[in-house]
């Protein structure tokens, strides 16, 4: 136990696999631990390097082990997979994690604090509520269409359908169907109320930090994007350049190059899906404003002249991510580009 220098932990719900090596790379530890015994085991272990995959509960265990005096590094699972030997099992996964964490070229993920994870729970809850709002709205439209009642797309059209459901004198909707649709209307109103609460909380969080206020000065970055950036990227210095952040978000072209010939495809769609979607929505807002009222950004004007607006939005989202990284690492404020 005293000679353990590096430990790989394969996380799970109840049973954890531990694999440890010494400074010479010799295997000195192979053990299966229950959830209740994991912390006590590491409490009796001298301070060492601990590697884990970024999965459910990884940030919690990382914070606990850091509190015990260990150095913890989190890695994306796809970067650990090449080190798995032969058949996959818990012991092989722990050994692969132990091997991968010692590689000098390995890329690691920052450990999130409890406050940052709380804000991420807020964002995930808002995302779920948004999907439920759409689901309930589509259900109400579909059920009323069975009785020949339709309305235009949008909120005003949906309000007309709600008026039909609440109007008991309207004979087009049977009584039994009206009772069920009234339940859906009540559920829709409850979801809208919860959405307003989450939006308000996210807005307060984005304005509370000085970094969040600076990020909102970037065109296309609102309270949602600023709050998501601050919490999802706890340490921007993990990325060497702004392009590294864009690549982590999946906003760079997928490469299939060989023999000196470059072949570029669509974006990789790697990394955080929620943050990438928020950046894309912000970029589309900038493009819609430019199409309606014009813009002083020559780069965006040239791009829109030769590319579809959605393709231009992906490129603009990439640029917004790079600008955000520059502001997060330098501490400066956003400045509009000056036309030469």
């Amino acid at each position: 136990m005293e000679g353990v220098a590096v430990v790989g932990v394969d996380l799970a719900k109840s049973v954890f696999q531990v694999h440890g090596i010494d400074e010479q790379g010799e295997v000195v530890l192979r053990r299966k631990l229950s959830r209740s015994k994991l912390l006590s085991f590491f409490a009796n272990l001298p301070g060492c390097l601990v590697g884990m995959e970024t999965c459910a509960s990884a940030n919690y265990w990382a914070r606990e082990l850091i509190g015990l005096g260990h150095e913890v590094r989190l890695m994306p699972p796809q970067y650990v997979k090449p080190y798995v030997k032969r058949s996959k099992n818990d012991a092989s996964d722990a050994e692969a994690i132990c091997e991968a964490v010692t590689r000098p070229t390995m890329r690691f993920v920052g450990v999130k604090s409890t406050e940052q994870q709380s804000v991420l729970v807020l964002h995930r809850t808002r995302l779920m509520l948004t999907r439920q709002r759409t689901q309930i709205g589509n259900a109400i439209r579909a059920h009323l269409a069975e009785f020949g009642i339709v309305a235009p797309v949008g909120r005003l059209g949906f309000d007309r359908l709600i008026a039909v459901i609440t109007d008991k004198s309207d004979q087009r909707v049977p009584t039994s169907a009206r009772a069920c649709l009234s339940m859906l209307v009540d559920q829709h109103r409850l979801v809208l109320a919860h959405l307003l609460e989450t939006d308000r909380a996210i807005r307060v969080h984005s304005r509370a930090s000085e970094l969040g206020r600076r990020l909102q000065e970037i065109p296309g970055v609102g309270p949602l994007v600023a709050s998501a950036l601050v919490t999802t990227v706890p340490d921007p210095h993990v990325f060497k350049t702004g392009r590294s952040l864009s690549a982590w978000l999946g906003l760079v072209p997928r490469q299939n190059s060989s023999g000196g010939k470059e072949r570029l495809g669509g974006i990789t769609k790697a990394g955080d899906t929620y943050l990438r979607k928020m950046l894309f929505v912000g970029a589309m807002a900038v493009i819609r404003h430019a199409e309606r009222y014009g813009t002083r950004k020559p780069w965006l004007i040239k791009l829109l002249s030769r590319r579809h607006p959605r393709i231009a939005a992906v490129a603009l989202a990439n640029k917004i991510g790079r600008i955000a990284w520059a502001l997060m690492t330098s501490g400066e404020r956003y400045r509009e580009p000056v036309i030469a």
Side-chain angles (χ1 to χ4, degrees), residues 144-171:
L144 287 178
E146 296 295 333
F147 303 107
I149 304 174
V150 296
V153 178
R155 186 178 63 181
L156 296 179
F158 186 73
D159 291 341
R160 295 182 191 177
L161 298 179
I162 293 180
V164 172
I165 296 173
T166 55
D167 186 9
K168 297 182 179 180
S169 62
D170 196 329
Q171 300 299 325

Side-chain angles (χ1 to χ4, degrees), residues 61-335:
W61 291 114
R63 292 192 300 267
E64 293 294 326
L65 296 184
I66 290 174
L68 295 176
H70 300 284
E71 180 185 359
V72 182
R73 295 182 181 178
L74 302 180
M75 299 167 289
Q78 60 268 31
Y79 292 164
V80 179
K81 186 177 180 180
Y83 296 93
V84 177
K85 300 174 182 177
R86 295 189 178 182
S87 57
K88 181 186 183 303
N89 51 58
D90 293 345
S92 298
D93 291 343
E95 182 180 358
I97 294 170
C98 186
E99 175 70 21
V101 75
T102 60
R103 298 299 91 195
T105 58
M106 179 56 62
R107 299 174 183 176
F108 301 102
V109 180
V111 179
K112 295 180 178 62
S113 63
T114 55
E115 293 78 11
Q116 291 169 332
Q117 282 197 302
S118 300
V119 178
L120 287 178
V121 170
L122 188 62
H123 280 271
R124 298 297 183 265
T125 303
R126 182 187 180 277
L127 180 61
M128 184 181 66
L129 291 173
T130 304
R131 292 173 178 172
Q132 289 180 352
R133 179 187 61 182
T134 304
Q135 182 182 15
I136 296 172
N138 291 339
I140 292 175
R141 287 180 177 274
H143 293 323
L144 287 178
E146 296 295 333
F147 303 107
I149 304 174
V150 296
V153 178
R155 186 178 63 181
L156 296 179
F158 186 73
D159 291 341
R160 295 182 191 177
L161 298 179
I162 293 180
V164 172
I165 296 173
T166 55
D167 186 9
K168 297 182 179 180
S169 62
D170 196 329
Q171 300 299 325
R172 293 178 295 175
V173 183
T175 304
S176 58
R178 189 187 303 277
C180 296
L181 291 173
S182 297
M183 298 178 189
L184 292 179
V185 171
D186 294 339
Q187 186 68 24
H188 187 267
R189 289 171 178 170
L190 181 61
V191 169
L192 289 181
H194 289 327
L195 266 176
L196 289 177
E197 293 178 7
T198 55
D199 288 341
R200 192 177 298 110
I202 291 174
R203 192 178 300 110
V204 170
H205 172 263
S206 62
R207 294 175 179 174
S209 64
E210 188 269 340
L211 176 59
R213 293 191 295 270
R214 285 194 290 112
L215 289 176
Q216 291 185 60
E217 298 175 359
I218 306 173
V221 176
L224 276 174
V225 181
S227 176
L229 277 170
V230 172
T231 54
T232 308
V233 188
D235 183 13
H237 296 281
V238 172
F239 305 98
K240 296 182 180 180
T241 61
R243 190 188 183 283
S244 299
L245 176 61
S246 298
W248 176 72
L249 292 173
L251 290 171
V252 296
R254 184 185 301 276
Q255 294 192 27
N256 188 21
S257 306
S258 179
K261 186 174 182 180
E262 292 188 357
R263 297 182 180 89
L264 303 179
I267 59 175
T268 62
K269 296 184 180 179
D272 193 289
T273 304
Y274 176 77
L275 185 54
R276 180 174 62 253
K277 182 176 69 173
M278 289 293 101
L279 287 173
F280 177 80
V281 172
M284 283 299 300
V286 174
I287 289 177
R288 291 193 191 100
H289 185 275
E291 291 176 340
R292 294 176 184 176
Y293 308 105
T295 180
R296 296 182 180 180
K297 298 179 175 60
W299 175 83
L300 183 58
I301 295 174
K302 293 180 181 179
L303 183 61
L304 289 173
S305 64
R306 66 179 189 272
R307 286 289 186 266
H308 191 274
R310 292 186 179 274
I311 298 178
V314 173
L316 183 57
N318 186 330
K319 191 170 186 177
I320 292 174
R322 296 188 181 199
I323 295 174
W325 176 86
L327 297 187
M328 295 170 74
T329 54
S330 65
E332 299 182 1
R333 309 189 75 88
Y334 175 76
R335 300 188 300 270

Side-chain angles (χ1 to χ4, degrees), residues 41-62:
F41 170 80
F42 277 98
N44 298 324
L45 199 67
C48 58
L49 174 63
V50 181
M52 294 186 294
E53 292 180 330
T54 52
C55 57
S57 72
N59 287 279
Y60 164 75
W61 291 114

